[in-house]
């Protein structure tokens, strides 16, 4: 396995009128699981194709392991068939005329491995993915989920430098998706494989990734561990994209009152100091406050908690808990509810720890860092 | 009631048209079985009183060398043009390279070149290559002339192979060649058969190249049959038998592969997922 480094990758189409990837740089360490995350059309597939050598970027450099495989500056381009990357495509792309066994064996035949070894590897991958019964079938005779597993298997039979997976679970039903996702993570750990995985599903990203690269319109918005992205979203876009149900946002303004800095959000006022922000905001600054539904509780967690009286609008039961949509004044928000039963139209008291409120300055939408950020950063390094 | 009448009308028209089409063929068939005297005395479509194979024997003796030439020319020209055209079509359809559009444009233009326009330069080229009056020379001409048509037809068929498959093959470590042999060719059999038949029939039936580039040693059967008309003025039975002999290989090909032909024209010809 190998590390992957992408430097200043730029891809434009239509003579520069469409920019698919805009000076993207990131690195994936050897044996790590990296997720490229972002809304549709943000350039995820294009980046993956560049790494695989299927697209020559307009400019930029890609290094796999020690080897420069693409460099517009040094005029280097290694052909895809010589990069030894295993790719699973958004479409399953199984060879229609070959059986499942032949599909799985195809990449190994290309490496001219001995027949015996091919047969053995195909067999073990088929067992791993539970498709031994399907080996004699053709792709047209398989269900969507089975096809997807064959496509995964065709990548796993190889010993590539890196796995590139483009929404490989997109067409599976919810249950199978969770199962295959788990399998994939287990296999990745077991093989210590470097994987770059594309998805627009943030849950998938949070559960799978060692590192997330979040993209929008061809640019990186933030990269980091799932925990970092969740706890310290760099800006409003990241905050809104990561987490389900999404973060609640409420606009506010910084005021001074009797020498104290306050943030007035309409339905509540909060002392700036209580938020634990690392820098002082000038009075008059407009801010956006963000609160995750999970941080709004039925019971207070500290004496500083803000109380939000609200009217229940809608209840989405999730089995053990529920997502409750409530109205406070004319502000609508969602909360994770683990208390007793609620009725639409009923009154409810919700508590919110001000420490958990994310503050973003407007209009740039950048997060205001918090006092605990530094400490958390250090704690994370100790984490293996 | 009216639909029944309508159907009857349609069937009648179809039968009449079919008979009109078959009549000359029938005439040729009956004439080929008659003796010279009977041809002079009876109507061309009457069944011979004493059918004889002498017309066929005569025709075969006159044409056997030319028929062999035709077989060699047709097989060589068909495989040459279809083989090379397939490779061109494959690369044009599924692999991009600089200048691909220009190449395609030139090939497409090649289709519209009339035979007659290239005949003299072709003759000069073939003679300069010392291939005049050789099977090889005629095969070369048919191959070169057939490539554009084959390439464009193959490109059309191969364009239906999903691009994702090509990308998959490349990242699987396959060369474009291996992908072609292992996946593209086997999943487009209908297309290949369709184009093979198309080329086979056009080269087998072709007259002009054979006339200009062929001589006594290499002339194809079409040319030899044409000469027969000139030399054996009154021997209708031999001429008719010769014509029918010439039609036999085409009929055989259609009988065995015709169903592919229809399917190839009708369906997408590609069995991709
Ligand atoms: N061949 C092309 N020609 C022109 N524009 C292209 C081409 N390929 C991609 N694009 C554009 O580049 C942008 C990024 O496309 P890309 O396929 O990488 O998105 P994506 O993040 O994979 O989206 P999705 O989640 O929908 O698969 C899009 O705006 C797309 O329209
Ligand atoms: Mg994509």
């Amino acid at each position: 396995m190998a590390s992957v480094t992408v430097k200043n990758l730029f891809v434009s189409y239509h003579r520069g009128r469409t920019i698919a990837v805009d000076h993207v740089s990131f690195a994936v360490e050897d044996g790590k699981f990296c997720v490229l995350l972002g809304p549709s059309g943000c350039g995820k597939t294009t980046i993956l194709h560049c790494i695989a050598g299927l697209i020559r970027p307009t400019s930029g450099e890609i290094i796999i392991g020690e080897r420069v495989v693409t460099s517009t500056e040094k005029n280097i381009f290694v052909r895809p068939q010589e990069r030894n990357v295993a790719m699973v495509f958004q479409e399953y792309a199984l060879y229609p005329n070959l059986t499942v066994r032949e599909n799985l064996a195809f990449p190994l035949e290309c490496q001219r491995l001995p027949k015996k070894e091919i047969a053995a590897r195909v067999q073990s991958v088929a067992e791993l993915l539970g498709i031994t019964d399907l080996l004699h079938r053709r792709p047209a005779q398989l269900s969507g989920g089975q096809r997807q597993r064959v496509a995964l298997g065709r990548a796993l039979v190889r010993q590539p430098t890196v796995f590139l997976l483009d929404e490989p679970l997109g067409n599976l039903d919810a249950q199978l998706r969770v199962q295959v996702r788990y399998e994939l993570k287990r296999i990745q750990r077991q093989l210590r494989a470097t994987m770059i995985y594309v998805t627009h599903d943030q849950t998938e990203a949070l559960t799978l990734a060692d590192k997330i690269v979040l993209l929008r319109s061809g640019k990186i918005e933030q990269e980091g561990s799932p925990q970092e992205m969740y706890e310290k979203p760099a800006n409003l876009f990241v905050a809104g994209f990561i987490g389900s149900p999404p973060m609640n946002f409420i606009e506010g303004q910084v005021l001074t009152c009797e020498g104290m800095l306050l943030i007035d959000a309409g339905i509540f006022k909060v002392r700036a100091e209580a938020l634990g922000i690392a820098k002082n905001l000038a009075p008059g600054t407009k801010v956006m406050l963000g609160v995750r539904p999970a941080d709004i509780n039925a019971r207070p967690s500290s004496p500083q908690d803000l109380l939000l009286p609200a009217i229940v609008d809608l209840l989405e039961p999730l089995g053990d808990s529920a997502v409750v949509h409530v109205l406070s004044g004319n502000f609508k928000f969602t909360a994770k509810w683990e208390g007793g039963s609620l009725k639409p139209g009923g009154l409810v008291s919700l508590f919110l720890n001000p420490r958990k409120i994310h503050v973003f300055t407007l209009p740039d939408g950048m997060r205001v860092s918090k006092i605990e950020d530094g400490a958390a950063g250090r704690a994370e390094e100790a984490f293996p | 009631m009216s639909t029944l009448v309508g159907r009857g009308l349609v069937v009648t028209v179809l039968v009449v048209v079919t008979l009109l089409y078959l009549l000359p063929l029938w005439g040729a068939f009956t004439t080929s079985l008659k003796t010279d005297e009977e041809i002079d005395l009876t109507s061309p479509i009457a069944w011979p009183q004493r059918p004889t194979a002498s017309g066929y024997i005569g025709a075969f003796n006159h044409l056997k060398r030319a028929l062999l030439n035709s077989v060699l020319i047709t097989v060589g020209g068909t495989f040459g043009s279809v083989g090379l055209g397939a490779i061109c079509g494959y690369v044009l359809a599924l692999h991009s390279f600089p200048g691909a559009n220009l190449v395609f444009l030139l090939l497409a233009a090649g289709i519209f070149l009339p035979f007659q326009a290239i005949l003299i330069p072709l003759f000069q080229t073939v003679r300069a290559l010392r291939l005049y009056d050789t099977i090889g020379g005629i095969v070369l001409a048919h191959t070169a002339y057939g490539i554009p048509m084959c390439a464009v037809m193959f490109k059309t068929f191969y364009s239906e192979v999903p691009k994702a498959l090509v990308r998959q093959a490349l990242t699987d470590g396959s060369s474009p060649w291996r992908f072609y042999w292992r996946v593209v060719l086997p999943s487009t059999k209908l297309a290949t058969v369709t184009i093979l038949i198309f080329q086979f029939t056009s080269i087998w039936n072709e007259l002009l190249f054979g006339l200009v580039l062929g001589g006594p040693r290499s002339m194809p059967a079409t040319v030899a049959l044409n000469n027969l008309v000139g030399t054996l003025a009154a021997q209708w039975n031999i001429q008719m038998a010769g014509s029918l002999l010439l039609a036999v290989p085409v009929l055989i090909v259609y009988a065995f592969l015709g169903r592919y032909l229809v399917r190839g024209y009708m369906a997408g010809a590609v069995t991709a997922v």
Side-chain angles (χ1 to χ4, degrees):
Chain A
M1 288 290 150
S3 61
V4 176
T5 310
V6 173
K7 285 186 193 164
N8 248 328
L9 193 69
F10 182 79
V11 180
S12 67
Y13 291 106
H14 310 119
R15 298 173 200 278
R17 268 178 286 142
T18 311
I19 293 172
V21 179
D22 194 358
H23 296 100
V24 163
S25 303
F26 65 93
V28 186
E29 285 168 52
D30 188 2
K32 293 290 185 205
F33 200 118
C34 172
V35 172
L36 300 184
L37 177 66
S40 185
C42 69
K44 308 180 292 289
T45 299
T46 309
I47 294 174
L48 219 55
H49 284 194
C50 287
I51 298 173
L54 297 166
I55 295 178
R56 283 172 194 255
T58 315
S59 69
E61 187 170 83
I62 296 167
I63 302 162
I64 300 179
E66 307 283 276
R67 188 173 176 211
V68 179
V69 288
T70 298
S71 171
T72 46
E73 214 165 277
K74 297 174 197 147
N75 205 11
I76 296 173
F77 185 80
V78 178
R79 290 187 296 171
Q81 59 265 44
E82 284 151 14
R83 293 191 179 199
N84 195 20
V85 299
M87 185 145 180
V88 178
F89 288 84
Q90 219 164 350
E91 316 86 353
Y92 316 101
L94 299 178
Y95 305 118
N97 62 313
L98 303 184
T99 62
V100 170
R101 186 191 300 284
E102 291 166 330
N103 263 283
L104 293 175
F106 186 82
L108 304 179
E109 283 169 14
C110 297
Q111 296 173 22
R112 297 173 204 280
L113 292 185
K115 283 223 159 63
K116 254 199 182 147
E117 185 176 350
I118 295 181
R121 281 219 230 161
V122 167
Q123 188 62 32
S124 76
V125 155
E127 277 164 20
L128 183 76
L129 294 171
I131 49 175
T132 35
D133 299 343
L134 310 175
L135 284 174
H136 60 280
R137 295 213 204 155
R138 281 182 209 284
Q141 301 162 320
L142 301 176
S143 74
Q146 290 168 333
R147 285 180 204 179
Q148 198 123 44
R149 271 184 283 170
V150 176
L152 266 178
R154 194 171 42 184
L156 293 173
V157 282
R158 300 172 55 186
Q159 284 155 3
T161 50
V162 53
F163 287 98
L164 306 175
L165 305 129
D166 195 350
E167 309 209 20
L169 311 184
N171 300 300
L172 299 186
D173 62 53
Q175 198 185 352
L176 204 56
R177 183 187 291 226
V178 172
Q179 189 192 329
V180 179
R181 189 203 291 168
Y182 164 75
E183 282 289 307
L184 193 65
K185 185 70 191 172
R186 196 176 56 76
I187 292 165
Q188 186 264 336
R189 284 263 168 80
Q190 194 182 327
L191 302 176
R192 295 173 193 285
T194 313
M195 285 195 180
I196 302 180
Y197 183 104
V198 160
T199 182
H200 57 252
D201 179 345
Q202 55 87 34
T203 317
E204 224 165 83
L206 289 174
T207 51
L208 284 171
D210 296 315
K211 174 186 198 166
I212 296 175
V213 176
L214 180 55
L215 295 147
R216 177 170 61 161
S217 321
K219 287 199 179 84
I220 295 185
E221 290 285 333
Q222 189 177 359
E223 55 174 299
S225 71
Q227 199 187 348
E228 253 179 290
M229 306 279 280
Y230 187 82
E231 291 176 354
K232 290 179 269 172
N235 55 40
L236 278 174
F237 173 76
V238 180
F241 199 86
I242 299 228
S244 168
M247 194 184 267
N248 298 295
F249 291 109
I250 182 165
E251 235 174 287
Q253 190 165 17
V254 182
L255 302 172
T256 40
C257 182
E258 296 167 9
M260 267 194 313
L261 273 182
L262 279 184
I263 294 179
D264 181 3
I267 55 165
F268 61 79
K269 287 194 182 68
V270 60
R271 279 172 37 228
E273 197 187 315
L275 299 170
I277 47 180
K279 76 171 187 199
N280 276 333
L281 296 166
T285 311
K286 287 215 183 301
V287 293
M288 187 66 93
L289 302 180
V291 185
R292 297 217 178 267
D295 293 332
I296 302 175
N297 302 305
R299 270 173 283 280
S301 59
S302 77
Q304 281 84 33
D305 272 18
L306 301 164
L307 170 68
L308 297 175
I311 300 166
V312 179
D313 187 28
L314 189 78
L315 208 61
E316 287 178 48
L318 297 172
D320 57 342
S321 63
V323 174
V324 56
H325 297 249
V326 297
L327 275 166
S328 187
N330 54 2
F331 176 56
K332 262 188 173 180
F333 61 99
T334 53
K336 201 89 172 272
W337 180 259
E338 280 165 345
S341 66
L342 287 176
K343 267 201 209 82
L347 278 174
V348 64
S349 296
L350 294 168
F351 296 90
L352 162 60
N353 183 342
R355 284 261 163 188
K356 303 273 185 168
I357 298 177
H358 301 263
V359 185
F360 303 90
T361 51
L362 288 177
D364 62 353
M366 299 306 286
R367 178 172 182 270
V368 180
S369 55
K370 294 219 174 182
I371 297 162
E372 67 258 30
D373 284 0
R378 250 170 277 131
E380 227 164 71
E381 276 166 41
F383 218 87
Chain B
M1 192 63 204
S2 67
T3 56
L4 213 64
V5 174
R7 278 185 74 94
L9 207 67
V10 169
V11 169
T12 315
V13 169
L14 285 177
V15 166
V16 168
V17 170
T18 309
L19 285 178
L20 277 174
Y21 248 87
L22 286 176
L23 206 60
L25 194 66
W26 174 252
F29 181 58
T30 51
T31 308
S32 72
L33 292 172
K34 292 175 185 173
T35 56
D36 279 343
E37 301 80 59
E38 200 177 346
I39 290 170
D40 289 338
L41 297 174
T42 58
S43 137
I45 57 167
W47 184 249
Q49 279 152 354
R50 262 171 288 109
T52 162
S54 67
Y56 283 91
I57 291 164
F60 186 72
N61 281 333
H62 278 287
L63 293 178
K64 63 183 172 214
R65 170 86 192 256
L67 277 170
L68 180 68
N69 288 345
S70 266
V71 169
L72 294 176
I73 289 167
T74 307
V75 169
T78 303
F79 281 102
S81 56
V82 173
L84 292 172
I87 297 168
C88 288
Y90 168 60
V91 175
L92 284 170
L94 297 176
H95 297 276
S96 56
F97 60 94
N101 287 336
L102 184 68
V103 171
F104 181 67
L105 212 70
L106 289 174
L107 278 172
I111 296 177
F112 300 109
L113 269 185
F115 256 174
Q116 299 80 347
I118 57 162
L119 219 47
I120 291 168
L122 181 68
F123 173 74
Q124 286 167 334
T125 309
V126 167
R127 203 176 48 178
L129 290 169
R130 303 184 175 284
L131 290 173
Y132 174 72
D133 191 18
T134 63
I135 304 273
I138 306 179
V139 166
L140 189 70
H142 280 301
T143 300
Y145 194 80
I147 285 174
M149 189 67 190
C150 291
V152 169
M153 285 199 285
F154 272 113
K155 179 185 187 271
T156 313
F157 283 121
Y158 290 159
S159 295
E160 289 180 39
V161 173
K163 294 280 185 297
L165 281 184
V166 186
R167 295 195 212 107
Q168 180 69 53
L170 292 178
T171 49
D172 276 350
S174 162
S175 65
W177 262 116
R178 181 190 288 273
F179 175 60
Y180 182 67
W181 281 112
R182 196 85 171 89
V183 178
V184 177
L185 202 58
S187 16
T188 52
K189 285 190 203 122
L190 287 183
T192 314
V193 172
T194 306
I195 297 168
L196 271 174
I197 295 177
F198 180 82
Q199 276 303 90
F200 179 91
T201 2
S202 15
I203 297 178
W204 181 267
N205 291 332
E206 199 276 336
L207 176 73
L208 213 50
F209 279 177
L211 200 62
V212 174
L213 302 176
R217 285 181 295 145
S218 64
M219 70 168 65
T222 43
V223 177
L225 186 71
N226 195 45
N227 292 348
L228 213 60
V229 179
T231 50
L232 307 167
Q235 295 193 342
W236 290 107
N237 56 348
I238 292 183
Q239 288 167 19
M240 290 304 159
S243 309
L244 290 175
L245 275 182
L246 208 60
V248 167
V250 176
L251 289 177
I252 290 175
V253 165
Y254 271 91
F256 281 98
L257 300 175
R259 60 205 172 90
Y260 288 105
L261 191 65
V262 174
R263 268 198 277 161
Y265 283 143
M266 308 296 275
V270 178
T271 53
V273 191

